[in-house]
Amino acid sequence: MSEPHSIAVIVAHPDDDAYGCAGSIALHETDPGFRFILVIATDGGAGLIADGIPATPETVGAWRRGESVRAWQAHGRVPDRHEWLDYADGGLHLVEPGELEDRVRRILLEERPQVVATFGPDGITGHRDHIAIGRAADAAFHQAREVPGPGLRRLVHGAVRESTFQRWNASRERRGLPPFDPAVEYQLRPVPDSLIDIEVDTTQVAGRILAGLHEHRSQRPVLTYPGGEAGWERIVGREPAVLAWPPRPRGAPLLTDLFEGL
C-alpha cells in the first residue's frame, strides 16, 4: 500500500510560498490522507508596505503573518501545520547554519513528508534569505532521511526556466522596462531548460493560485505583473522545478507531477 501524499514547503518569507507549488497542492488536496506542512523562516518584517496598508515598519511583520493565513484561505487549502521559525527578515544568512538545519530537521523527522520543496542554491532571486533557508532545508532533508522511516523520498527546488526568463525579458524590453539582471540580488536567476526535471501543468487551478497571491497586499508593488491578470495566469499555469534528490536518470522524461512515481 502506498503512502499518502504529503509535502513540506520550506521558505524564507510569507509570500515565497504563494507561487511555485501552490498549484501542485491544489491538485492533490483531495488525495486520501494528503498532508501539507508549511515552514516559514521569517515574518517578512523588512518587506515593503504598499499604499493603503495600515502597517508600519514595526508592525508589518505581524501584518504579513496575517496575509499568509488569508492567502491560503483564499487559495482554498490551508496548511495542516504552519510553522514560523521567527528569525529576522534579511538576517537568515547570519544564523548559525547548524541551528537552522536542526530546527528544520526536527520538523521533517516529526512529519516525514514524501516531498520537501524549497529554494535551490540560486534562491530563484539570489536573495540571501532564500539561499540560507534552501541550504538549511537541503542539509536537514539529507540528515533526516538517514533516520529509518517513511517519507523523505524527494527533494525539489523551485526554478525559473531559462527560456521563460528570456521571454519575460523580451516582453519587459518591449514595454520599455529594464530587463531582469541575474547578477543583481533580488532579481530572477534562471535555470537552463535542460536542468528542469519537473513541470506541473496547473492551469486548471491558476485562479486559485492568483486568489492566494493577491492576499499578499502589502507586497503589491513587487507582485504586480505588467502583463496584467491574464499574464499572471499564464505564469502560474506552470510550476517548474529541479529534482535535487534523488537524481533523475539521464534521458528520463520530464516529470509532470511532484508525486509522480512515488
Side-chain angles (χ1 to χ4, degrees), residues 3 19 21 45 48 58 69 89 96 130 144 169 174 215 229:
E3 301 170 12
Y19 42 85
C21 60
L48 298 172
E58 292 72 34
V69 172
D89 185 6
E96 201 281 314
H130 294 186
N169 266 354
R174 286 195 299 270
E215 287 300 318
E229 198 78 356

Side-chain angles (χ1 to χ4, degrees), residues 56-99:
T56 66
E58 292 72 34
T59 64
V60 68
W63 179 268
R64 294 190 69 186
R65 286 176 186 254
E67 286 182 335
S68 178
V69 172
R70 292 190 292 275
W72 285 101
Q73 290 171 339
H75 181 271
R77 181 50 165 95
V78 299
D80 297 289
R81 178 176 179 178
H82 193 165
E83 289 279 344
W84 297 89
L85 301 185
D86 296 326
Y87 290 106
D89 185 6
L92 275 186
H93 64 293
L94 302 175
V95 177
E96 201 281 314
E99 175 187 329

Side-chain angles (χ1 to χ4, degrees), residues 159-166 190-194 196 199 240 254:
V160 175
R161 279 182 174 271
E162 174 72 34
S163 58
T164 301
F165 176 83
Q166 297 296 346
V191 170
D193 286 24
S194 61
I196 297 295
E199 187 161 87
L254 198 69

